[in-house]
């Protein structure tokens, strides 16, 4: 897919900023997002190509202005709704109103 | 989001963050109530990336390749298998390729499309690796990028840039620093920085380490 994500060779993005002693996550929600993505990938709810595609479909202005893990949030939400794992209304409300679908497998602490 | 003045910027930054936090909390609640995720498993994953995996794993791989010619050959022939023998297994099933620096060629790794990176040996990538400036410029102006990192290479050294994909990720095998004869793998690993395994840096000078 040809889009703004395909950045190789583009001009104008400025200087590379290196953060000294960078933490693994800059806020606790970033870790939750990564872990949710891994859990859903483990459950085979969708694969890495679906995650990338969901990000690449974001409007360019959203793609460029969102942080890395904010893009992940948007992609996870997109895949959840597109694959009927939950509705957009449930995500907006922050609560499930119907039971979940069966997963092929679930990531637990013992796995 | 463009701020009108500095005070406004602080305010907007704060509210933007909390909006994301609320959104992520809603997501976790819904997925948990649906039975798709186990919050305790999420805790374990976060802990794994914060404390168990990181560039120290890659440094051991590089140090072993410097000290053990048979391992170096195995690494260059099939890095996925070679690092697997040390217990570093990719959780996303991609292939790892080790690219070796020589006196004639320097290797540098980027993911122009997103953020592919060998997590199992380097941990999660730093923000700059995932940023638009690095992704756009690495393939067009690698010497300029290296200069930003304080690395100046003689002009007769070729720079080869490797663009990662979800299927294939790269590890740079730097040149073993001179003056390290007889060093143990543990000592050698101290010289191996994260950036020298991405190709945006060089190993530490032995005199800095001792």
């Amino acid at each position: 897919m040809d889009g703004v994500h395909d950045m190789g060779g583009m001009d104008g993005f400025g200087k590379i900023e290196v953060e000294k002693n960078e933490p693994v996550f800059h806020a606790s929600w970033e870790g939750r997002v990564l872990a949710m993505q891994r859990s859903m990938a483990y459950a085979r709810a969708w694969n890495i190509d679906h995650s990338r595609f969901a990000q690449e479909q974001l409007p360019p202005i959203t793609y460029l202005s969102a942080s890395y893990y904010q893009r992940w949030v948007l992609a996870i939400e997109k895949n959840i709704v597109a694959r009927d794992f939950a509705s957009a209304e449930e995500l907006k409300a922050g609560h499930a109103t119907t039971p979940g679908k069966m997963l092929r497998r679930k990531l637990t602490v013992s796995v | 989001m463009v701020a009108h003045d500095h005070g406004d910027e602080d305010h907007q930054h704060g509210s933007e963050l909390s909006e994301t936090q609320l959104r992520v909390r809603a997501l976790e609640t819904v997925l948990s109530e649906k039975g798709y995720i186990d919050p305790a498993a999420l805790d374990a994953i976060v802990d794994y990336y914060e404390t168990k995996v990181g560039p120290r794993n890659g440094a051991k791989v590089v140090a072993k390749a410097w000290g053990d010619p048979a391992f170096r050959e195995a690494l260059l022939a099939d890095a996925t298998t070679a690092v697997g023998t040390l217990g570093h297994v990719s959780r996303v099933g991609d292939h790892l390729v080790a690219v070796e620096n020589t006196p004639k060629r320097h290797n540098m790794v980027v993911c122009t499309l997103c953020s592919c990176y060998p997590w199992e040996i380097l941990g999660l990538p730093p923000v700059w690796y995932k940023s638009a400036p690095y992704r756009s410029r690495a393939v067009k102006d690698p010497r300029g990028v290296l200069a930003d990192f304080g690395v100046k290479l003689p002009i007769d050294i070729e720079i080869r840039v490797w663009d990662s994909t979800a299927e294939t990720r790269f590890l740079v095998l730097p040149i073993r620093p001179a003056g390290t004869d007889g060093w143990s793998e543990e000592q050698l690993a101290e010289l191996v920085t994260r950036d020298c395994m991405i190709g945006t840096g060089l190993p530490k000078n032995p005199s800095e380490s001792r």
Side-chain angles (χ1 to χ4, degrees):
Chain A
M1 181 169 161
D2 189 12
V4 73
H5 68 280
D6 193 355
M7 292 178 169
M10 285 174 115
D11 291 318
F13 282 116
K15 195 174 181 316
I16 296 158
E17 303 285 348
V18 176
E19 183 183 343
K20 289 229 184 291
N21 301 316
E22 183 179 333
V24 174
F25 300 112
H26 290 75
S28 58
W29 66 263
E30 294 188 346
R32 304 313 282 179
V33 170
L34 177 130
M36 281 192 266
Q37 169 59 40
R38 289 227 82 115
S39 293
M40 294 307 278
Y42 179 85
R44 298 188 178 131
W46 59 81
N47 66 32
I48 188 169
D49 298 317
H50 298 131
S51 298
R52 290 266 303 273
F53 187 58
Q55 289 195 36
E56 291 169 7
Q57 286 176 301
L58 293 170
I61 196 160
T62 306
Y63 186 96
L64 291 174
S65 56
S67 76
Y68 181 71
Y69 286 111
Q70 281 173 337
R71 288 207 305 271
W72 278 41
V73 176
L74 297 171
I76 292 172
E77 289 175 348
K78 211 181 248 267
N79 273 308
I80 283 174
V81 173
R83 285 156 219 286
D84 280 333
F85 285 104
S87 68
E89 292 69 33
E90 287 175 309
L91 294 182
K92 195 160 195 285
H95 282 292
T97 50
T98 60
K101 298 204 292 187
M102 276 294 276
L103 292 178
R104 280 194 250 180
R105 55 184 193 169
K106 181 174 172 180
L107 188 65
T108 61
V109 180
S110 57
V111 174
Chain B
M1 200 171 284
V2 179
H4 304 293
D5 60 49
H6 186 72
D8 201 19
E9 184 180 45
D10 282 350
H11 173 72
Q12 293 202 353
H13 190 62
S15 62
E16 194 180 14
L17 262 188
S18 63
E19 188 189 310
T20 304
Q21 277 170 334
L22 290 173
R23 198 160 173 158
V24 171
R25 195 166 300 160
L27 188 59
E28 184 171 342
T29 305
V30 171
L31 297 187
S32 181
E33 288 175 352
K34 292 272 191 188
Y36 300 146
I37 59 166
D38 172 2
L42 264 51
D43 294 341
I45 294 169
V46 170
D47 181 63
Y48 174 78
Y49 284 105
E50 284 190 326
T51 67
K52 308 282 193 308
V53 71
R56 298 324 305 157
N57 294 359
K60 285 182 195 154
V61 172
V62 168
K64 190 168 176 60
W66 283 346
D68 177 346
F71 181 76
R72 174 185 158 274
E73 282 202 20
L75 183 70
L76 293 173
D78 178 356
T80 311
T81 304
V83 306
T85 63
L86 303 181
H88 307 309
V89 177
S90 166
R91 292 173 182 232
V92 287
D94 54 310
H95 296 287
L96 181 67
V97 174
V99 288
E100 186 179 39
N101 287 349
T102 70
K104 297 262 170 229
R105 178 187 294 163
H106 180 87
N107 294 285
M108 197 169 112
V109 181
V110 64
C111 178
T112 60
L113 292 175
C114 185
S115 57
C116 292
Y117 190 77
W119 291 15
E120 70 279 16
I121 47 169
L122 296 187
L124 296 175
V127 165
W128 61 258
Y129 183 86
K130 305 178 283 191
S131 73
Y134 184 71
R135 287 163 54 190
S136 60
R137 271 179 67 211
V139 289
K140 191 173 192 177
D141 178 24
R143 275 182 207 278
V145 169
L146 286 174
D148 281 2
F149 282 88
V151 176
K152 287 203 173 62
L153 296 175
I155 198 73
D156 59 333
I157 294 187
E158 176 198 1
I159 299 176
R160 187 164 287 194
V161 180
W162 301 83
D163 196 355
S164 314
T165 67
E167 288 81 31
T168 307
R169 304 178 193 218
F170 299 94
L171 168 73
V172 174
L173 177 57
I175 297 174
R176 177 172 173 162
T180 56
D181 290 352
W183 284 34
S184 68
E185 283 178 16
E186 289 72 26
Q187 288 173 310
L188 289 170
E190 293 297 317
L191 302 178
V192 183
T193 63
R194 177 195 66 200
D195 289 2
C196 82
M197 295 183 276
I198 303 173
T200 54
L202 299 173
K204 284 188 219 162
N205 191 314
S207 59
E208 290 170 46
S209 164
R210 303 319 302 157

